[in-house]
Amino acid sequence: MQGIPFAIKDTFDLKGVATAYGSWQYLNNVIDDFESPLATNAIKAGAVPVFKSSVPQLTWGTANFNGTVYSCLHGGYSAGPGNSGGSSIGSGNAVCLGVVPVAICEQTGSSCQAPALGNGISTIIPALGTFSREGTGLYSLETDRPGLLCRDVMSCAVMYNYMRGKSAGDPMSRDVPFEDPSKVDISTLSIGFTDNHNTTAWPWAFDTPFGGKRNNVLEALQDTGATVSVKSTLGEHLGPMNQLVQDLPLSRSLSLRSR
């Protein structure tokens, strides 16, 4: 990876550089003695960090300036559904415009997926723990996952293999080498499939960009011999909800009544 330039989402620490989380309030938050293991591992392999990529203020929202973001597929600035929104918009724009071939992203909902789909580039969001979350600002320990935005899938695979690994500050981190997809026997897998293109929630069904016209995907999965479980909602693929999740709707209901 000697000399490969990459960008770092401005929620990941890098020695000697401010981690501002997209906010003027944190421009003096310069980290001198520590950095994200993702950056450390990439630098040790010869890659060169070029800049911190912009994020919405405190990473909240899908735009960073006057409510607009740049979309390579739309050929300019756009707003609302169909844009390149998500808190990793800076990383996505940097890759789609050819400034860098790879950029670190991170998502709670679809902050890597949305910029990838909105800009016609590739993303990889490794399983929880395969990328260390040490040295990055988190919203949720359950759903925040670091990932990569790349010009192509192979670039994501190569960078992943150099950036992965355990770190002392993340007890959930694991060292899981990249597995060549062409060598995986898909017929041995169990795959859950849900078409949720009708969702009206954020992020505007960025994960189903073909508007439900994806029967060919389901058929292709079934043709591999894999065990495909089709459910009407994503939640049906999960096991029994823990008590905390069960209590959430009740607490919201009680809160509304108290008003």
Side-chain angles (χ1 to χ4, degrees), residues 93-161:
N93 296 161
V95 172
C96 83
L97 291 170
V99 181
V100 290
V102 179
I104 295 176
C105 62
E106 182 276 333
Q107 73 173 31
T108 305
S110 285
S111 296
C112 293
Q113 292 169 258
L117 289 165
N119 286 306
I121 57 178
S122 298
T123 188
I124 181 173
I125 308 155
L128 197 62
T130 50
F131 264 0
S132 172
R133 296 189 292 180
E134 186 177 4
T136 182
L138 299 174
Y139 271 120
S140 169
L141 287 175
E142 296 175 322
T143 60
D144 281 5
R145 286 102 64 208
L148 297 171
L149 286 159
C150 315
R151 295 287 289 178
D152 55 75
V153 175
M154 186 54 69
S155 296
C156 285
V158 171
M159 293 292 285
Y160 164 83
N161 236 8

Side-chain angles (χ1 to χ4, degrees), residues 141-200:
L141 287 175
E142 296 175 322
T143 60
D144 281 5
R145 286 102 64 208
L148 297 171
L149 286 159
C150 315
R151 295 287 289 178
D152 55 75
V153 175
M154 186 54 69
S155 296
C156 285
V158 171
M159 293 292 285
Y160 164 83
N161 236 8
Y162 281 101
M163 299 167 92
R164 64 179 169 81
K166 297 187 67 173
S167 70
D170 182 358
M172 296 183 69
S173 60
R174 300 289 183 271
D175 189 10
V176 182
F178 183 82
E179 188 172 8
D180 184 348
S182 66
K183 296 181 180 178
V184 177
D185 183 0
I186 299 179
S187 66
T188 63
L189 303 180
S190 295
I191 302 173
F193 183 91
T194 294
D195 184 350
N196 65 334
H197 76 279
N198 288 322
T199 179
T200 57

Side-chain angles (χ1 to χ4, degrees), residues 24-86:
W24 297 104
Q25 299 294 326
Y26 289 95
L27 288 180
N28 293 324
N29 182 39
V30 178
I31 311 299
D32 292 321
D33 57 354
F34 182 79
E35 63 190 11
S36 164
L38 274 67
T40 299
N41 294 343
I43 293 169
K44 284 182 178 178
V48 180
V50 181
F51 54 83
K52 287 289 196 75
S53 60
S54 63
V55 298
Q57 181 158 294
L58 300 179
T59 75
W60 187 254
T62 61
N64 62 348
F65 182 70
N66 290 340
T68 61
V69 295
Y70 190 86
S71 168
C72 283
L73 288 187
H74 290 96
Y77 289 90
S78 58
N83 62 25
S84 58

Side-chain angles (χ1 to χ4, degrees), residues 190-196 208 212 214-219 221-222 227-234 237:
S190 295
I191 302 173
F193 183 91
T194 294
D195 184 350
N196 65 334
T208 54
R214 306 189 306 153
N215 290 335
N216 59 323
V217 176
L218 176 57
E219 293 168 0
L221 291 174
Q222 293 170 333
T227 302
V228 183
S229 175
V230 181
K231 305 288 186 180
S232 58
T233 65
L234 294 174
H237 292 289

